[in-house]
């Protein structure tokens, strides 16, 4: 370990025992013979090694004279304590150590191939700390740099032990060389306010411009289980205070920590969504914010009144003002400095509280005395900052949980695009008084939004479902008839012919259109007449397998055959899940076009609602081009869903066809969150036409025919105005050019519906291809292609 850990240093280091030799020379003149003789003997041995007094630069001299050095240092390293103390000779902050106690040697031996390095201590810290040592020792300053230094050393079992490092510099002398600049008080003040400016420190203390002569003593103690600031952790940033607890407890802890009697503390919380600073809503604590003063909330761009403290937000670095009155003389700082001086603040530290790059808030430490707080002792915050971060993060989590609870209770699960508005209302509720049960929640309304509606529907799903019901019932009844025919035991039962007649009657009904109560009638008949007969009859052994096989085919829940219905339900679930997955995945990308509200529903297919407009995303400027982009995205997404279904049909347990529908509605509407239904709906009778059209068009026919406007493997676009037709024909032409849609285009009028007339439609087919439609084209690309 006898090597220099840091190459750059303001010191030219000379390991020297001159102070110890001078002490021995005094002892040699003592009247106490044994003390005098002992000192004379050591001095005689050191005479032939002048470097012991003048300074050792070649470390080999230390290695060659280990025994003499040990004897020379015997008074400082008592033999009786060698198995207890963890001590060695060192040069402070460097990796040069020798003359270990036995306990220190044992620790190093157990660690194996391990090099002692100070935890979280780099070249820049070493250099600045060496300079502070010069300021305190030579310039008689009293800069408090209390960062604890630790060695993390494993034992023989690879268990990491943490040792606190203490230095004794009594045998060190520091003096300047000729090239060392003589520092003025202004230079020292400049260094005080620029702890992190290593270049400045190197300018004032050039490389090896000072001599560090002598030796230091390093002592370690085991601090693995130490919790020096446990009381701070338990008191820090509580949102609720014990009534018996002193409100000033936290402030008193900080005063003791910094040794500043008039220190005051403030905290401001940062709201990233709204870019504001807010006060922590403590119920009983007197802690406020010196930035906010009496305000509850301030926009972060205005918090520092234009002065350079804005780097708190930009780089999340702490900012110190050691002298507010001098700070006020710098142009641009006058207004903020005046705010501080009005609060009797003469020096201060503003420290950002951040985790994983996210700003949570700002700790504000202030003093009424200039120079008490500065960039040097600000580094003491690093010791407790992790606790502050964790506590404030926990507070934020608790607050978010409360907000979420209010939203979930009073509203519902909210899409991210409109979450901000619900959150703002929930925050107002919490800030008024959480116990105020009479609070009237404001209705959430978004005005002037453009709706987009689309669906991919499973064709004739009701007909398919009825057919599978009839198929299962028919198979079950026929299975019962086979038992009646094959079982010798049952053929002997009276009234068997009556049972056969009733089963044949039910089979006859199943050839017709299924009535609402047919399934229930057959199920009741089987449960009450057939199953008791099969379960209670005396059955021959050869018939038991036949009846057991029948019961094995029954569904556990319904007690009926359910094979056909199960295949249909599984196919329906597969189609719905795949279509929803495609829609959700594409929707995540669509949000980058312009944030908008999105909801979807699974029924006999998948339908979705989109709402886009300035009121949903007020932080961004809305342009009708975003609506055009979203419409093109919607058409492309339905093409992808149609294509995915075409591929899916090959593996479905039941053949299902789908058709797609888009409703074009160009007039902006208002949507309101219905508190009773926990969902958005159109607001007012003026906007009701949109909902009426949406609910009636999927079953509509082409005007003058019995043909439905929707067809399998095709997308139907319903609209009202000529300009909408022109717009969508452009989209269709573009997608035909991209080989996504087939060339044929159908156009027709939609039959008049109740309260709705004048609708028209375009119908186009998606090309069935095995190529992936991974690319989603933008409206800008469309315009370029059409030029």
């Amino acid at each position: 370990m006898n090597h220099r850990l840091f190459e750059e240093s303001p010191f030219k280091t000379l390991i020297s025992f001159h102070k110890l030799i001078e002490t021995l020379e005094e002892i040699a003149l003592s009247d106490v013979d044994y003390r005098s003789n002992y000192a004379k003997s050591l001095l005689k041995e050191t005479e032939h090694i002048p470097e012991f007094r003048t300074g050792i630069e070649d470390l080999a001299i230390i290695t060659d004279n280990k025994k003499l050095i040990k004897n020379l240092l015997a008074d400082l390293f008592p033999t009786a304590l060698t198995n207890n103390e963890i001590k060695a000779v060192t040069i402070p902050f460097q990796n040069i150590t020798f003359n270990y106690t036995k306990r220190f040697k044992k620790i190093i031996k157990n660690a194996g191939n391990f090099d002692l390095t100070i935890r979280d201590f780099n070249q820049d810290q070493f250099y600045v700390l060496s300079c502070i040592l010069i300021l305190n020792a030579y310039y008689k300053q009293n800069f408090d740099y209390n960062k604890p230094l630790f060695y993390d050393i494993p034992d023989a079992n690879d268990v990491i032990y943490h040792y606190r490092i203490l230095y004794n510099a009594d045998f060190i002398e520091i003096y300047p060389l000729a090239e060392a600049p003589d520092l003025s008080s202004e230079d020292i003040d400049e260094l005080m306010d620029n702890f992190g400016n290593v270049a400045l420190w190197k300018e004032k203390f050039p490389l090896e411009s000072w001599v560090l002569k002598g030796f230091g003593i390093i002592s370690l103690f085991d601090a693995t289980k130490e919790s020096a600031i446990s009381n701070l952790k338990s008191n820090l940033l509580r949102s609720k205070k014990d009534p018996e607890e002193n409100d000033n407890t936290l402030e008193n802890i900080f005063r003791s920590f910094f040794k500043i009697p008039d220190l005051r503390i403030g905290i401001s919380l940062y709201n990233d969504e709204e870019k504001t600073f807010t006060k922590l809503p403590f119920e009983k604590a007197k802690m406020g914010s010196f930035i906010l003063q009496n305000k509850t909330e301030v926009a972060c761009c205005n918090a520092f009144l234009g002065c350079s403290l804005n780097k708190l937000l930009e780089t999340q670095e702490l900012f110190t003002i050691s002298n507010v009155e001098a700070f006020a003389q710098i142009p641009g700082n006058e207004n903020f400095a005046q705010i501080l001086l009005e609060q009797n603040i003469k020096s201060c530290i503003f420290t950002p509280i951040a985790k994983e790059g996210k700003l949570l808030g700002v700790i504000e430490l202030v003093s009424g005395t200039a120079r008490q707080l500065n960039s040097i002792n600000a580094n003491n915050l690093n010791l407790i900052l992790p606790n502050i971060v964790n506590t404030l993060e926990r507070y934020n989590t608790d607050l978010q949980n409360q907000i979420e609870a209010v939203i979930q209770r009073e509203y519902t699960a909210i899409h991210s695009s409109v979450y901000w508005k619900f959150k703002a209302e929930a925050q107002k509720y919490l800030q008024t008084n959480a116990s105020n049960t009479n609070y009237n929640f404001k209705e959430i309304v978004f005005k002037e939004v453009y709706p987009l509606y689309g669906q991919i529907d499973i064709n004739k799903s009701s007909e398919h479902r009825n057919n599978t019901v009839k198929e299962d019932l028919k198979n079950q009844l026929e299975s019962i008839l086979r038992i009646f025919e094959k079982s010798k035991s049952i053929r002997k039962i009276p009234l068997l012919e009556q049972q056969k007649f009733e089963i044949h009657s039910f089979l006859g009904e199943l050839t017709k259109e299924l009535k609402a109560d047919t399934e229930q009638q057959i199920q009741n008949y089987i449960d009450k007449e057939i199953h008791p007969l099969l379960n209670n009859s005396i059955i021959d052994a050869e018939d038991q397998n036949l009846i057991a096989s029948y019961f094995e085919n029954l569904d556990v829940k319904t007690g009926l055959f359910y094979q056909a219905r199960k295949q249909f339900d599984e196919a329906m679930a597969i189609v719905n899940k795949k279509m929803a997955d495609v829609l959700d995945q594409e929707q995540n990308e669509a949000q980058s076009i312009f944030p908008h509200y999105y909801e979807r529903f699974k029924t006999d297919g998948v339908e979705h609602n989109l709402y886009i407009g300035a009121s949903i995303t007020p932080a961004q400027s809305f342009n009708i081009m975003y609506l055009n982009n979203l419409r093109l995205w919607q058409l492309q997404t339905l093409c992808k869903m149609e294509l995915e279904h075409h591929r899916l049909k090959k593996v479905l347990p039941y053949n299902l066809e789908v058709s797609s529908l888009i409703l074009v509605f160009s007039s902006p509407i208002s949507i309101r969150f219905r508190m009773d239904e926990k969902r958005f709906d159109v607001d007012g009778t003026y906007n009701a036409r949109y909902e009426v059209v949406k609910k009636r068009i999927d079953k509509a026919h082409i005007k003058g025919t019995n043909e439905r406007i929707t067809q399998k493997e095709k997308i139907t676009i319903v609209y009202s105005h000529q300009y909408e037709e022109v717009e969508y024909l452009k989209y269709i032409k573009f997608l035909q050019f991209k080989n996504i849609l087939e060339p044929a285009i159908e156009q027709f009028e939609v039959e008049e519906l109740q309260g709705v007339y004048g609708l028209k439609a375009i119908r186009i087919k998606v090309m069935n291809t095995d190529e992936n439609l991974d690319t989603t084209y933008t409206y800008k690309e469309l315009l370029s292609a059409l030029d």
Side-chain angles (χ1 to χ4, degrees):
M1 289 181 292
N2 289 334
H3 65 273
R4 297 184 186 277
L5 186 61
F6 303 112
E7 294 300 326
E8 293 186 350
S9 172
F11 291 122
K12 179 179 180 180
T13 302
L14 299 175
I15 299 174
S16 168
F17 304 105
H18 67 288
K19 284 195 174 185
L20 192 56
I21 292 173
E22 291 170 0
T23 302
L24 289 174
E25 288 174 340
E26 292 179 5
I27 296 174
L29 301 175
S30 170
D31 293 336
V32 181
D33 291 342
Y34 77 91
R35 292 271 293 163
S36 175
N37 293 335
Y38 170 72
K40 290 176 181 178
S41 175
L42 283 176
L43 289 171
K44 185 176 181 181
E45 289 189 59
T46 62
E47 285 178 356
H48 67 282
I49 311 175
E51 291 89 349
F52 273 24
R53 187 187 292 268
T54 60
I56 300 170
E57 294 186 75
D58 183 3
L59 297 181
I61 295 175
I62 296 175
T63 305
D64 295 340
N65 294 276
K66 286 184 178 180
K67 185 175 181 181
L68 176 57
I69 291 173
K70 181 178 180 180
N71 293 333
L72 193 62
L73 297 169
D75 287 346
L76 303 176
F77 289 78
T79 303
L81 300 178
T82 191
N83 291 311
N84 181 270
E85 292 184 339
I86 311 171
K87 197 159 71 170
V89 174
T90 188
I91 298 301
F93 320 127
Q94 282 282 16
N95 208 15
I96 299 174
T97 50
F98 55 93
N99 200 65
Y100 306 102
T101 61
K102 286 186 177 180
R103 185 180 176 189
F104 204 157
K105 286 181 180 179
K106 184 178 180 181
I107 290 171
I108 294 172
K109 180 181 179 181
N110 289 340
N113 186 19
F114 182 81
D115 198 14
L116 288 178
T117 55
I118 301 172
R119 179 205 301 169
D120 298 329
F121 197 68
N122 57 33
Q123 171 70 62
D124 289 345
Q125 290 174 307
F126 163 74
Y127 203 99
V128 173
L129 195 55
S130 297
C131 296
I132 292 173
L133 193 62
I134 297 172
L135 288 173
N136 289 343
Y138 187 83
Y139 286 99
K140 308 304 179 184
Q141 298 296 309
N142 190 29
F143 290 130
D144 180 16
Y145 187 93
N146 260 347
K147 177 182 178 179
L149 303 178
F150 290 89
Y151 285 141
D152 301 320
I153 306 175
D155 66 3
N157 298 316
D158 272 344
V159 176
I160 303 296
Y161 281 73
H162 308 293
Y163 295 95
R164 175 78 179 273
I165 302 170
L166 297 178
Y167 289 107
N168 183 323
D170 289 347
F171 300 92
I172 287 177
E173 181 182 2
I174 294 174
Y175 56 88
L177 294 173
E179 56 267 30
D182 187 21
L183 300 185
S184 65
S185 59
E186 289 78 13
D187 292 328
I188 296 174
D189 285 347
E190 186 180 6
L191 290 168
M192 181 192 303
D193 290 333
N194 289 278
F195 176 85
N197 188 347
V198 180
L200 178 66
W201 289 89
K202 289 182 177 180
E203 176 190 333
K204 304 299 183 184
F205 298 94
L207 293 175
E208 297 189 359
S209 58
W210 289 76
V211 173
L212 186 151
K213 183 179 179 181
F215 66 90
I217 298 176
I218 183 175
S219 297
L220 308 184
F221 71 88
D222 186 352
T224 303
K225 297 182 180 179
E226 183 189 38
S227 179
I229 54 172
S230 59
N231 62 328
L232 182 61
K233 289 169 117 181
S234 62
N235 286 279
L236 195 60
L237 298 175
R238 290 185 182 174
S239 59
K240 292 186 178 180
K241 293 281 185 178
D242 188 325
E244 298 180 0
E245 183 179 79
N246 182 4
D247 286 330
N248 294 321
T249 299
L250 184 61
E251 198 159 71
N252 289 335
I253 292 173
F254 274 81
R255 287 174 178 172
S256 299
F257 189 80
F258 281 87
K259 302 175 184 177
I260 298 175
D262 67 343
L263 185 142
R264 291 172 285 160
I265 181 171
I267 301 177
S268 51
L269 188 66
Y270 181 68
N271 186 325
D272 188 52
E273 287 88 356
E274 299 184 19
K275 302 293 186 278
T276 59
F277 284 111
T278 61
K279 286 185 178 180
L280 292 173
F282 292 161
E283 292 183 357
K284 295 179 180 179
K286 296 178 181 179
M287 187 183 304
S289 168
F290 304 103
I291 296 175
L292 299 174
Q293 295 179 285
N294 297 323
K295 301 181 182 69
T296 303
E297 184 178 273
V298 170
C300 62
C301 58
N302 300 324
F304 304 114
L305 304 177
C307 81
S308 54
L309 266 74
N310 282 320
K311 82 173 189 177
L312 276 169
L313 302 175
E314 297 166 1
T315 61
Q316 295 180 5
E317 296 176 3
L318 66 81
F319 195 98
T320 62
I321 307 174
S322 61
N323 190 327
V324 175
E325 292 178 341
F327 176 80
Q329 305 304 313
I330 301 174
N333 295 341
E334 304 90 343
N335 294 333
F336 186 67
Q338 184 60 34
I339 295 295
L340 298 178
L341 292 172
E342 289 175 358
Q343 300 175 79
N344 191 32
I345 298 172
K346 301 294 179 65
S347 61
C348 53
I349 301 171
F350 298 102
T351 303
I353 309 168
K355 188 163 188 178
E356 297 177 354
K358 181 181 179 181
L359 183 64
L360 304 176
V362 176
I363 287 283
E364 309 160 15
L365 301 179
V366 304
S367 168
T369 306
R371 298 180 51 143
Q372 286 283 62
L373 293 167
N374 50 71
S375 71
I376 294 176
N377 62 12
N379 284 271
N380 293 331
L381 277 170
N382 291 331
L383 177 64
I384 60 172
L385 204 55
N387 300 320
I388 299 174
V389 170
N390 291 336
T391 307
L392 192 55
E393 185 182 40
R394 186 168 59 250
Y395 166 79
N396 271 338
T397 300
D398 291 344
L399 180 60
Q400 293 303 317
N401 288 340
Q402 291 183 56
I403 292 172
E404 289 287 349
V406 173
I407 293 174
Q408 292 291 337
R409 185 178 73 246
E410 301 297 336
Y411 300 104
T412 185
I414 301 301
H415 188 254
S416 58
S417 62
V418 295
Y419 177 82
W420 62 272
K421 197 159 188 175
F422 290 87
K423 181 179 179 180
E425 181 63 18
Q427 284 179 320
K428 289 179 183 177
Y429 166 76
L430 291 174
Q431 289 173 353
T432 52
N433 190 346
S435 62
N436 183 2
T437 56
N438 297 321
Y439 183 86
N440 292 321
F441 283 89
K442 181 181 178 182
E443 288 191 310
I444 305 298
V445 179
F446 293 98
K447 297 181 178 181
E448 295 291 310
V449 296
Y450 294 88
L452 292 88
Y453 171 76
Q455 69 173 35
I456 186 163
D457 188 47
I458 295 174
N459 293 350
K460 300 180 180 180
S461 57
S462 298
E463 183 179 329
H464 283 299
R465 187 174 285 105
N466 287 341
N467 288 338
T468 58
V469 170
K470 290 195 289 185
E471 184 180 350
D472 280 333
L473 293 175
K474 179 183 176 182
N475 290 340
Q476 186 167 7
L477 292 172
E478 289 177 346
S479 181
I480 294 170
L481 282 176
R482 284 194 294 271
I483 293 174
F484 287 173
E485 294 295 335
K486 293 181 179 181
S487 173
K488 297 178 182 179
S489 305
I490 293 179
R491 284 207 303 265
K492 302 174 183 178
I493 297 175
L495 300 176
L496 181 61
E497 293 302 319
Q498 173 67 30
Q499 303 288 4
K500 289 182 179 180
F501 173 77
E502 291 181 357
I503 290 175
H504 281 294
S505 297
F506 283 129
L507 286 171
E509 289 187 28
L510 292 177
T511 62
K512 305 173 185 177
E513 187 174 344
L514 190 67
K515 297 179 182 178
D517 62 344
T518 300
E519 181 181 4
Q520 189 64 44
Q521 285 182 5
I522 295 175
Q523 183 173 8
N524 289 338
Y525 169 74
I526 293 174
D527 286 342
K528 294 179 180 179
E529 301 291 337
I530 303 302
H531 287 172
L533 176 65
L534 298 179
N535 287 320
N536 298 324
S537 299
I538 300 174
I539 307 297
D540 294 342
E542 61 186 60
D543 295 331
Q544 288 180 354
N545 291 337
L546 183 64
I547 296 174
S549 177
Y550 164 80
F551 279 107
E552 286 176 359
N553 287 324
L554 298 183
D555 181 71
V556 177
K557 295 181 179 179
T558 64
L560 295 172
F561 277 27
Y562 206 80
Q563 288 80 8
R565 278 172 287 184
K566 183 178 181 181
Q567 287 183 338
F568 172 75
D569 290 343
E570 287 178 352
M572 179 85 79
I574 291 170
V575 171
N576 277 348
K577 184 179 186 305
K578 185 61 178 179
M579 297 301 100
D581 288 348
V582 172
L583 185 61
D584 289 345
Q585 182 178 350
E586 296 297 319
Q587 171 59 201
N588 288 335
E589 297 180 8
Q591 289 294 334
S592 63
I593 296 173
F594 190 86
H596 56 276
Y597 180 76
Y598 160 71
E599 62 182 3
R600 64 157 173 79
F601 309 96
K602 291 181 184 178
T603 52
D604 289 348
V606 177
E607 58 181 293
H608 62 272
N609 291 313
L610 308 175
Y611 299 101
I612 185 171
S615 61
I616 289 178
T617 314
Q620 298 186 31
S621 177
F622 177 74
N623 186 290
I624 203 68
M625 185 72 71
Y626 295 121
L627 174 62
N628 296 332
N629 263 296
L630 199 58
R631 283 176 169 174
L632 178 58
W633 166 88
Q634 183 187 38
L635 180 56
Q636 291 180 84
T637 299
L638 282 176
C639 290
K640 293 181 181 181
M641 295 167 74
E642 283 278 356
L643 184 57
E644 284 295 338
H645 174 262
H646 175 70
R647 296 169 180 163
L648 203 59
K649 284 197 298 183
K650 302 172 184 178
V651 297
L652 287 178
Y654 190 97
N655 185 32
L656 295 176
E657 299 289 352
V658 299
S659 58
S660 298
L661 176 69
I662 290 175
L663 173 61
V664 184
F665 200 87
S666 296
S667 300
I669 65 174
S670 295
I671 57 173
R672 181 185 299 271
F673 188 83
R674 305 293 181 186
M675 297 289 288
D676 52 345
E677 300 174 10
K678 307 297 186 191
R679 63 181 298 269
F680 277 103
D681 200 357
V682 296
D683 184 39
T685 56
Y686 173 78
N687 300 310
R689 184 176 183 273
Y690 169 72
E691 281 295 322
V692 172
V693 174
K694 189 172 72 173
K695 291 176 181 177
R696 295 177 179 172
I697 55 171
D698 65 327
K699 299 295 189 294
H701 296 87
I702 298 176
K703 188 173 183 180
T705 73
N706 291 324
E707 181 184 346
R708 292 272 289 271
I709 65 171
T710 56
Q711 281 189 359
K712 67 176 183 178
E713 298 182 347
K714 293 184 178 181
I715 300 174
T716 302
I717 303 167
V718 179
Y719 60 92
S720 300
H721 304 289
Q722 179 67 26
Y723 62 84
E724 295 168 339
E725 176 184 310
V726 172
E727 178 183 349
Y728 273 85
L729 285 175
K730 283 197 301 184
Y731 302 157
I732 292 169
K733 182 179 178 181
F734 176 66
L735 295 180
Q736 287 173 334
F737 171 73
K738 294 294 183 180
N739 295 321
I740 296 173
L741 296 175
E742 291 192 354
I745 299 176
E746 302 173 77
Q747 291 184 255
F748 47 80
E749 294 183 11
V750 181
E751 67 178 349
E752 292 185 5
L753 305 174
Q754 183 179 356
V756 180
Y757 55 89
L759 296 178
K760 299 178 183 180
I762 301 171
R763 192 163 64 192
I764 33 86
K765 187 175 182 180
V766 180
M767 280 190 175
N768 291 332
T769 175
D770 291 330
E771 295 182 7
N772 290 322
L773 297 180
D774 292 333
T775 304
T776 300
Y777 300 102
T778 66
Y779 188 70
K780 183 178 180 180
E781 290 171 313
L782 178 148
L783 294 177
S784 298
L786 295 179
D787 285 343

